Amino acid sequence: MRGKTKATIIIILLFLITGGCYYYAALPPINIHSPGFWGFVIVLSLILTALIGLYTLKNHAVDKTHIKILFGNSILFKIFSGITILLVLIYLIGTLLSSEVFNARKYREIISIEDGNFTEDIKQISYNEIPLLDRMSAEIVGARKMGTLVKYVSQFEVASDYTQINYQGKPVRVTPLEYGSLLKWFTNRKEGLPAYIMIDMASQDAECVELSEGIKYSKSEHFGRLIYRHIRFKYPTYMFDTINMEIDEQGTPYWICPVKDYTIGLFGGVTIGRVVLVNAITGETIDYDIEDVPQWVDHVFSADLLISHYDYYGTLQHGYFNSILSQKDCLITTEGYNYIASDDDIWVYTGITSVGGDESIVGFVLMNQRTGRTKYYQIPGAKEYSAMDSAEGKVQNLGYKATFPILLNISGEPTYFMSLKDSAGLVKMYAMVNIQKYTLVATANTVEECEKNYMDMLVSNNITEDISDEPVYDNVKTVTGVITRIAQTVVDGNSHYYIVLDDGNKIYDVDVSKNVSIILSNPGDNITFEYSDTGKELNTVIAIK
């Protein structure tokens, strides 16, 4: 009896130690909707069954077959074998019943699609807002910047994250440093990671942002400060999606940890229900409902998740079997995607094409990475890779390769914008390709010259009118107030009114030839201006609302 008790204790200890080590390494969520949790439970059941089996074989004669010994002499082995098989069956049945085969309508309704207005939703942006680097080029720039940091380069490396965000109105990519090796982690872990790299996607400048206190929680940490383990022990039931490092408007680094929610059966209909923000320096966490996520956060819904949502919507219009057989009315996203900055959010852009696999798109979608909001634009044209081929063909003698396009509004025309890179991955030229007429390709050594060449092409092909003399305004804002002072003057032979509103902070310059209604205004009137904010005292009024 004493021997059985000892064996039982040993089996329990081995089981607990093995299971604990497995949990510490794999970090599965304790949640029945997580496939990882079911894998964890099934493996634990297998381990326990194996331990009981080994003990049974050890204590019986060897002249019998192993199968007879196990199933003829051990009730526990039978029980746990049955439990393991039952768990596997539950997992397989749950997977099948959660699939699109039985839930086509539910998958189709994961997202709702809005009809967008291209010219209203996608404003024409200035040169300093156009991202000129793709991820690969950003990595090259980041590696070169790291090579110049003599005090860091021997101990740290640049992480491969390079998350694209909006920071103070600019498109940038940010990535933390990481420890160069386990030994270098051991010697530097007390101070943490001293900086992160920020790359301005428009100016192509890289900056090493040094921190007064180092990053203590990251993907290159170990033990309790590994970011995955930190959030798992804080939120054991949460099923986290891809996590990204972002910075708030003050430059403080945070880990953005979206929490997955399975809305169809056990394992289907993945969406995001909550977001956990982790201060990368202190480890402090804040748990938000998806509706309450701060405006500065950009990456909640991953691009892959959003694209899968649209693919469900586009292919399951007439059920699952139609999506794989006749494929009537089936639409799907094109092979790649890129990012667009709009209204201080990051939107995923991708084209929409028929399942038949032709080289054209029937339109495109923009999907908000913070809210999941999706807009569809019915604008037929060329696929992104067809436009890339057109741009590369324009400079085929130079052998440059095009980056995946960014969607721009140029004079109201949907336009693909691409950087052209040499064999070393360095940006050498730029190209603009009309989406609807992708034979219209403009290239140049600068963005300004490329846009000018492209707009000349639009005019010469009677697509747009000549607007070369019309000014392009940056930083357009709207203000409402009461007129307190009006002064009339003449500038370059044209009458202008200088207006001061009751806020008293700015002078608004109104060109009477463009806004003749201003002559009807008097002090005390309430008025609304759309103006270009120059950051100085005198600001140009574009229109009177």
Side-chain angles (χ1 to χ4, degrees):
M1 192 68 179
R2 185 177 297 174
K4 288 186 176 181
T5 303
K6 182 179 178 181
T8 302
I9 293 174
I10 291 174
I11 289 174
I12 292 173
L13 287 176
L14 286 173
F15 174 73
L16 292 176
I17 291 170
T18 306
C21 291
Y22 177 34
Y23 180 81
Y24 191 79
L27 300 172
I30 310 302
N31 193 310
I32 64 170
H33 290 288
S34 169
F37 170 72
W38 284 90
F40 174 64
V41 172
I42 290 170
V43 169
L44 289 185
S45 183
L46 284 170
I47 290 171
L48 187 55
T49 304
L51 290 172
I52 293 171
L54 290 173
Y55 171 75
T56 302
L57 289 172
K58 181 182 177 184
N59 289 277
H60 288 80
V62 296
D63 58 343
K64 299 178 181 179
T65 66
H66 291 175
I67 298 298
K68 287 182 178 179
I69 292 172
L70 293 175
F71 286 97
N73 297 279
S74 176
I75 296 175
L76 283 177
F77 184 83
K78 294 178 185 178
I79 292 172
F80 281 100
S81 296
I83 290 174
T84 303
I85 294 171
L86 180 61
L87 289 171
V88 172
L89 287 174
I90 292 173
Y91 174 75
L92 293 176
I93 293 171
T95 301
L96 179 61
L97 295 180
S98 304
S99 68
E100 307 95 280
V101 178
F102 297 98
N103 302 279
R105 182 182 59 81
K106 292 180 180 178
Y107 274 92
R108 190 176 68 246
E109 294 174 352
I110 289 177
I111 59 170
S112 58
I113 308 295
E114 304 174 29
D115 289 328
N117 184 303
F118 177 78
T119 55
E120 291 182 3
D121 295 345
I122 304 176
K123 305 298 183 184
Q124 187 160 338
I125 61 177
S126 58
Y127 304 131
N128 61 356
E129 296 175 315
I130 300 176
L132 305 181
L133 299 175
D134 62 358
R135 182 189 178 90
M136 188 179 298
S137 298
E139 290 178 358
I140 294 173
V141 173
R144 288 184 173 180
K145 183 64 178 180
M146 189 65 191
T148 66
L149 305 174
V150 179
K151 62 180 178 179
Y152 295 145
V153 72
S154 66
Q155 298 296 306
F156 304 97
E157 298 174 354
V158 183
S160 60
D161 292 33
Y162 289 97
T163 307
Q164 183 169 329
I165 62 171
N166 281 342
Y167 176 64
Q168 297 181 351
K170 299 183 298 182
V172 303
R173 286 188 183 266
V174 292
T175 189
L177 301 185
E178 61 182 13
Y179 300 103
S181 66
L182 182 61
L183 179 61
K184 293 173 182 178
W185 165 77
F186 188 79
T187 56
N188 291 283
R189 68 178 300 276
K190 184 177 180 180
E191 292 78 20
L193 301 170
Y196 59 84
I197 301 293
M198 179 166 63
I199 299 173
D200 189 316
M201 302 293 286
S203 69
Q204 307 183 53
D205 294 330
E207 177 185 1
C208 177
V209 181
E210 298 187 82
L211 302 165
S212 58
E213 186 176 352
I215 294 173
K216 303 296 196 309
Y217 298 84
S218 71
K219 297 177 182 179
S220 64
E221 280 287 350
H222 299 275
F223 305 113
R225 284 186 3 196
L226 176 69
I227 183 61
Y228 300 109
R229 192 165 290 122
H230 179 66
I231 58 177
R232 170 56 61 234
F233 290 161
K234 284 261 188 180
Y235 304 95
T237 63
Y238 280 12
M239 300 170 288
F240 291 104
D241 197 15
T242 305
I243 69 173
N244 296 283
M245 196 197 86
E246 296 190 28
I247 55 177
D248 64 11
E249 293 302 303
Q250 290 71 48
T252 303
Y254 281 85
W255 291 103
I256 312 303
C257 311
V259 181
K260 291 190 286 189
D261 185 15
Y262 288 83
T263 60
I264 302 173
L266 271 180
F267 310 123
V270 180
T271 186
I272 303 299
R274 308 192 64 79
V275 180
V276 173
L277 270 56
V278 183
N279 187 305
I281 297 171
T282 66
E284 179 185 2
T285 64
I286 309 175
D287 185 8
Y288 288 100
D289 186 88
I290 189 67
E291 304 294 335
D292 302 322
V293 176
Q295 180 71 36
W296 62 265
V297 174
D298 289 316
H299 286 258
V300 173
F301 291 81
S302 69
D304 290 338
L305 180 61
L306 290 171
I307 287 172
S308 71
H309 285 176
Y310 185 86
D311 286 342
Y312 290 138
Y313 174 86
T315 58
L316 298 174
Q317 292 294 321
H318 302 298
Y320 174 76
F321 291 103
N322 176 74
S323 71
I324 60 174
L325 296 176
S326 64
Q327 298 182 330
K328 178 184 177 182
D329 299 329
C330 287
L331 300 174
I332 196 170
T333 54
T334 52
E335 295 86 350
Y337 61 84
N338 215 322
Y339 302 100
I340 294 174
S342 178
D343 298 329
D344 201 29
D345 278 330
I346 297 292
W347 297 70
V348 176
Y349 155 81
T350 187
I352 302 299
T353 186
S354 62
V355 175
D358 56 35
E359 293 305 311
S360 63
I361 61 171
V362 297
F364 56 85
V365 287
L366 296 182
M367 298 171 280
N368 190 304
Q369 287 201 276
R370 183 173 60 86
T371 65
R373 185 182 180 188
T374 301
K375 294 184 177 183
Y376 173 71
Y377 300 83
Q378 188 174 353
I379 299 177
K383 272 188 177 180
E384 297 91 342
Y385 281 99
S386 296
M388 292 165 66
D389 290 340
S390 293
E392 291 169 2
K394 193 81 170 179
V395 292
Q396 60 183 336
N397 59 310
L398 300 173
Y400 294 160
K401 296 297 181 182
T403 60
F404 193 85
I406 297 170
L407 181 68
L408 295 182
N409 176 351
I410 305 294
S411 298
E413 283 292 306
T415 303
Y416 288 133
F417 172 82
M418 291 157 274
S419 297
L420 298 170
K421 302 189 298 183
D422 63 14
S423 58
L426 300 178
V427 175
K428 295 297 185 179
M429 295 180 69
Y430 306 96
M432 290 183 179
V433 181
N434 188 275
I435 288 181
Q436 295 176 295
K437 294 185 178 181
Y438 69 100
T439 55
L440 295 181
V441 183
T443 61
N445 293 319
T446 66
V447 180
E448 294 89 338
E449 184 182 359
C450 183
E451 184 184 42
K452 181 181 182 302
N453 293 342
Y454 178 70
M455 293 176 69
D456 288 345
M457 283 186 176
L458 295 180
V459 172
S460 62
N461 284 271
N462 298 317
I463 296 174
T464 63
E465 297 179 358
D466 188 356
I467 56 171
S468 57
D469 294 331
E470 294 184 11
V472 177
Y473 296 103
D474 292 334
N475 201 19
V476 176
K477 295 182 179 179
T478 301
V479 64
T480 298
V482 176
I483 298 174
T484 58
R485 295 181 62 189
I486 297 180
Q488 186 176 5
T489 187
V490 176
V491 178
D492 295 332
N494 294 318
S495 294
H496 285 243
Y497 277 66
Y498 288 162
I499 308 292
V500 177
L501 301 182
D502 53 355
D503 60 13
N505 296 323
K506 293 181 173 68
I507 298 173
Y508 300 95
D509 177 8
V510 184
D511 186 339
V512 176
S513 65
K514 298 178 180 178
N515 298 280
V516 68
S517 63
I518 191 64
I519 64 175
L520 302 175
S521 300
N522 297 292
D525 290 349
N526 194 288
I527 197 166
T528 298
F529 291 139
E530 187 179 76
Y531 71 100
S532 174
D533 189 351
T534 63
K536 301 177 182 178
E537 188 176 24
L538 186 63
N539 299 270
T540 302
V541 171
I542 302 169
I544 298 173
K545 298 291 186 180

PDB file of all heavy atoms in Angstrom, residues 125-132 169-171 200-203 447-448 474-475:
ATOM      1  N   ILE A 125      -3.532  65.216 -49.804  1.00  0.00           N
ATOM      2  CA  ILE A 125      -2.596  65.534 -48.729  1.00  0.00           C
ATOM      3  C   ILE A 125      -1.363  66.221 -49.286  1.00  0.00           C
ATOM      4  O   ILE A 125      -1.041  66.127 -50.472  1.00  0.00           O
ATOM      5  CB  ILE A 125      -2.194  64.271 -47.944  1.00  0.00           C
ATOM      6  CG1 ILE A 125      -1.495  63.250 -48.850  1.00  0.00           C
ATOM      7  CG2 ILE A 125      -3.410  63.639 -47.292  1.00  0.00           C
ATOM      8  CD1 ILE A 125      -1.022  62.014 -48.116  1.00  0.00           C
ATOM      9  N   SER A 126      -0.644  66.904 -48.397  1.00  0.00           N
ATOM     10  CA  SER A 126       0.550  67.621 -48.815  1.00  0.00           C
ATOM     11  C   SER A 126       1.738  66.668 -48.860  1.00  0.00           C
ATOM     12  O   SER A 126       1.697  65.554 -48.344  1.00  0.00           O
ATOM     13  CB  SER A 126       0.833  68.775 -47.847  1.00  0.00           C
ATOM     14  OG  SER A 126       0.988  68.291 -46.531  1.00  0.00           O
ATOM     15  N   TYR A 127       2.823  67.137 -49.453  1.00  0.00           N
ATOM     16  CA  TYR A 127       3.993  66.282 -49.653  1.00  0.00           C
ATOM     17  C   TYR A 127       4.555  65.728 -48.348  1.00  0.00           C
ATOM     18  O   TYR A 127       5.028  64.591 -48.299  1.00  0.00           O
ATOM     19  CB  TYR A 127       5.098  67.069 -50.375  1.00  0.00           C
ATOM     20  CG  TYR A 127       4.664  67.659 -51.691  1.00  0.00           C
ATOM     21  CD1 TYR A 127       4.909  68.993 -51.992  1.00  0.00           C
ATOM     22  CD2 TYR A 127       4.014  66.885 -52.638  1.00  0.00           C
ATOM     23  CE1 TYR A 127       4.517  69.543 -53.201  1.00  0.00           C
ATOM     24  CE2 TYR A 127       3.622  67.412 -53.851  1.00  0.00           C
ATOM     25  CZ  TYR A 127       3.875  68.748 -54.133  1.00  0.00           C
ATOM     26  OH  TYR A 127       3.478  69.281 -55.322  1.00  0.00           O
ATOM     27  N   ASN A 128       4.517  66.539 -47.288  1.00  0.00           N
ATOM     28  CA  ASN A 128       5.126  66.097 -46.036  1.00  0.00           C
ATOM     29  C   ASN A 128       4.275  65.091 -45.272  1.00  0.00           C
ATOM     30  O   ASN A 128       4.613  64.711 -44.165  1.00  0.00           O
ATOM     31  CB  ASN A 128       5.438  67.299 -45.134  1.00  0.00           C
ATOM     32  CG  ASN A 128       4.194  68.083 -44.751  1.00  0.00           C
ATOM     33  OD1 ASN A 128       3.102  67.767 -45.215  1.00  0.00           O
ATOM     34  ND2 ASN A 128       4.367  69.091 -43.924  1.00  0.00           N
ATOM     35  N   GLU A 129       3.167  64.662 -45.869  1.00  0.00           N
ATOM     36  CA  GLU A 129       2.325  63.655 -45.228  1.00  0.00           C
ATOM     37  C   GLU A 129       2.305  62.333 -45.990  1.00  0.00           C
ATOM     38  O   GLU A 129       1.719  61.369 -45.535  1.00  0.00           O
ATOM     39  CB  GLU A 129       0.884  64.181 -45.110  1.00  0.00           C
ATOM     40  CG  GLU A 129       0.734  65.399 -44.228  1.00  0.00           C
ATOM     41  CD  GLU A 129      -0.682  65.945 -44.248  1.00  0.00           C
ATOM     42  OE1 GLU A 129      -1.270  66.057 -45.342  1.00  0.00           O
ATOM     43  OE2 GLU A 129      -1.197  66.248 -43.170  1.00  0.00           O
ATOM     44  N   ILE A 130       2.947  62.271 -47.157  1.00  0.00           N
ATOM     45  CA  ILE A 130       2.917  61.060 -47.975  1.00  0.00           C
ATOM     46  C   ILE A 130       4.022  60.106 -47.494  1.00  0.00           C
ATOM     47  O   ILE A 130       5.200  60.460 -47.514  1.00  0.00           O
ATOM     48  CB  ILE A 130       3.130  61.381 -49.459  1.00  0.00           C
ATOM     49  CG1 ILE A 130       2.026  62.315 -49.975  1.00  0.00           C
ATOM     50  CG2 ILE A 130       3.164  60.107 -50.283  1.00  0.00           C
ATOM     51  CD1 ILE A 130       2.227  62.763 -51.410  1.00  0.00           C
ATOM     52  N   PRO A 131       3.676  58.897 -47.068  1.00  0.00           N
ATOM     53  CA  PRO A 131       4.715  57.926 -46.684  1.00  0.00           C
ATOM     54  C   PRO A 131       5.498  57.469 -47.917  1.00  0.00           C
ATOM     55  O   PRO A 131       4.935  56.907 -48.852  1.00  0.00           O
ATOM     56  CB  PRO A 131       3.906  56.766 -46.077  1.00  0.00           C
ATOM     57  CG  PRO A 131       2.544  57.312 -45.809  1.00  0.00           C
ATOM     58  CD  PRO A 131       2.320  58.373 -46.835  1.00  0.00           C
ATOM     59  N   LEU A 132       6.791  57.716 -47.898  1.00  0.00           N
ATOM     60  CA  LEU A 132       7.625  57.384 -49.050  1.00  0.00           C
ATOM     61  C   LEU A 132       8.338  56.049 -48.890  1.00  0.00           C
ATOM     62  O   LEU A 132       8.873  55.514 -49.858  1.00  0.00           O
ATOM     63  CB  LEU A 132       8.667  58.495 -49.276  1.00  0.00           C
ATOM     64  CG  LEU A 132       8.108  59.918 -49.430  1.00  0.00           C
ATOM     65  CD1 LEU A 132       9.250  60.904 -49.661  1.00  0.00           C
ATOM     66  CD2 LEU A 132       7.103  59.989 -50.564  1.00  0.00           C
ATOM     67  N   GLY A 169       0.412  64.017 -36.108  1.00  0.00           N
ATOM     68  CA  GLY A 169       0.007  64.370 -37.466  1.00  0.00           C
ATOM     69  C   GLY A 169       0.920  63.867 -38.562  1.00  0.00           C
ATOM     70  O   GLY A 169       0.721  64.196 -39.736  1.00  0.00           O
ATOM     71  N   LYS A 170       1.943  63.051 -38.222  1.00  0.00           N
ATOM     72  CA  LYS A 170       2.888  62.559 -39.217  1.00  0.00           C
ATOM     73  C   LYS A 170       2.839  61.036 -39.281  1.00  0.00           C
ATOM     74  O   LYS A 170       2.674  60.372 -38.255  1.00  0.00           O
ATOM     75  CB  LYS A 170       4.318  62.989 -38.863  1.00  0.00           C
ATOM     76  CG  LYS A 170       4.549  64.475 -38.804  1.00  0.00           C
ATOM     77  CD  LYS A 170       6.016  64.775 -38.512  1.00  0.00           C
ATOM     78  CE  LYS A 170       6.437  64.225 -37.154  1.00  0.00           C
ATOM     79  NZ  LYS A 170       7.847  64.565 -36.846  1.00  0.00           N
ATOM     80  N   PRO A 171       3.000  60.456 -40.493  1.00  0.00           N
ATOM     81  CA  PRO A 171       3.110  58.995 -40.581  1.00  0.00           C
ATOM     82  C   PRO A 171       4.524  58.563 -40.198  1.00  0.00           C
ATOM     83  O   PRO A 171       5.504  58.982 -40.830  1.00  0.00           O
ATOM     84  CB  PRO A 171       2.826  58.712 -42.059  1.00  0.00           C
ATOM     85  CG  PRO A 171       3.259  59.955 -42.775  1.00  0.00           C
ATOM     86  CD  PRO A 171       3.036  61.102 -41.828  1.00  0.00           C
ATOM     87  N   ASP A 200      10.471  58.767 -39.737  1.00  0.00           N
ATOM     88  CA  ASP A 200       9.487  59.609 -40.416  1.00  0.00           C
ATOM     89  C   ASP A 200       9.323  59.076 -41.836  1.00  0.00           C
ATOM     90  O   ASP A 200      10.256  59.101 -42.640  1.00  0.00           O
ATOM     91  CB  ASP A 200       9.969  61.064 -40.443  1.00  0.00           C
ATOM     92  CG  ASP A 200       8.901  62.033 -40.927  1.00  0.00           C
ATOM     93  OD1 ASP A 200       8.222  61.708 -41.920  1.00  0.00           O
ATOM     94  OD2 ASP A 200       8.743  63.104 -40.321  1.00  0.00           O
ATOM     95  N   MET A 201       8.123  58.578 -42.156  1.00  0.00           N
ATOM     96  CA  MET A 201       7.900  57.930 -43.442  1.00  0.00           C
ATOM     97  C   MET A 201       7.874  58.920 -44.606  1.00  0.00           C
ATOM     98  O   MET A 201       7.993  58.519 -45.761  1.00  0.00           O
ATOM     99  CB  MET A 201       6.576  57.158 -43.401  1.00  0.00           C
ATOM    100  CG  MET A 201       6.518  56.109 -42.310  1.00  0.00           C
ATOM    101  SD  MET A 201       7.666  54.771 -42.614  1.00  0.00           S
ATOM    102  CE  MET A 201       6.830  53.931 -43.943  1.00  0.00           C
ATOM    103  N   ALA A 202       7.684  60.203 -44.298  1.00  0.00           N
ATOM    104  CA  ALA A 202       7.639  61.214 -45.358  1.00  0.00           C
ATOM    105  C   ALA A 202       9.019  61.805 -45.630  1.00  0.00           C
ATOM    106  O   ALA A 202       9.448  61.897 -46.775  1.00  0.00           O
ATOM    107  CB  ALA A 202       6.649  62.318 -44.998  1.00  0.00           C
ATOM    108  N   SER A 203       9.719  62.198 -44.569  1.00  0.00           N
ATOM    109  CA  SER A 203      11.037  62.805 -44.745  1.00  0.00           C
ATOM    110  C   SER A 203      12.146  61.770 -44.868  1.00  0.00           C
ATOM    111  O   SER A 203      13.268  62.095 -45.259  1.00  0.00           O
ATOM    112  CB  SER A 203      11.343  63.737 -43.573  1.00  0.00           C
ATOM    113  OG  SER A 203      11.529  62.986 -42.378  1.00  0.00           O
ATOM    114  N   VAL A 447       8.846  63.917 -55.316  1.00  0.00           N
ATOM    115  CA  VAL A 447       7.394  63.771 -55.253  1.00  0.00           C
ATOM    116  C   VAL A 447       6.716  64.954 -55.934  1.00  0.00           C
ATOM    117  O   VAL A 447       5.731  64.797 -56.659  1.00  0.00           O
ATOM    118  CB  VAL A 447       6.921  63.652 -53.789  1.00  0.00           C
ATOM    119  CG1 VAL A 447       5.408  63.505 -53.731  1.00  0.00           C
ATOM    120  CG2 VAL A 447       7.579  62.471 -53.109  1.00  0.00           C
ATOM    121  N   GLU A 448       7.239  66.162 -55.704  1.00  0.00           N
ATOM    122  CA  GLU A 448       6.642  67.358 -56.283  1.00  0.00           C
ATOM    123  C   GLU A 448       6.637  67.295 -57.808  1.00  0.00           C
ATOM    124  O   GLU A 448       5.631  67.580 -58.467  1.00  0.00           O
ATOM    125  CB  GLU A 448       7.404  68.615 -55.821  1.00  0.00           C
ATOM    126  CG  GLU A 448       7.286  68.904 -54.339  1.00  0.00           C
ATOM    127  CD  GLU A 448       8.366  68.215 -53.524  1.00  0.00           C
ATOM    128  OE1 GLU A 448       8.941  67.207 -54.026  1.00  0.00           O
ATOM    129  OE2 GLU A 448       8.624  68.638 -52.385  1.00  0.00           O
ATOM    130  N   ASP A 474      -2.267  73.818 -46.970  1.00  0.00           N
ATOM    131  CA  ASP A 474      -1.938  72.827 -45.950  1.00  0.00           C
ATOM    132  C   ASP A 474      -2.653  73.171 -44.649  1.00  0.00           C
ATOM    133  O   ASP A 474      -3.027  74.323 -44.403  1.00  0.00           O
ATOM    134  CB  ASP A 474      -0.424  72.805 -45.693  1.00  0.00           C
ATOM    135  CG  ASP A 474       0.347  72.273 -46.896  1.00  0.00           C
ATOM    136  OD1 ASP A 474      -0.247  71.501 -47.669  1.00  0.00           O
ATOM    137  OD2 ASP A 474       1.527  72.642 -47.055  1.00  0.00           O
ATOM    138  N   ASN A 475      -2.813  72.180 -43.805  1.00  0.00           N
ATOM    139  CA  ASN A 475      -3.333  72.361 -42.441  1.00  0.00           C
ATOM    140  C   ASN A 475      -4.640  73.158 -42.438  1.00  0.00           C
ATOM    141  O   ASN A 475      -4.769  74.173 -41.753  1.00  0.00           O
ATOM    142  CB  ASN A 475      -2.277  73.041 -41.570  1.00  0.00           C
ATOM    143  CG  ASN A 475      -2.512  72.799 -40.093  1.00  0.00           C
ATOM    144  OD1 ASN A 475      -3.228  71.869 -39.712  1.00  0.00           O
ATOM    145  ND2 ASN A 475      -1.924  73.627 -39.256  1.00  0.00           N
TER     146      ASN A 475
END
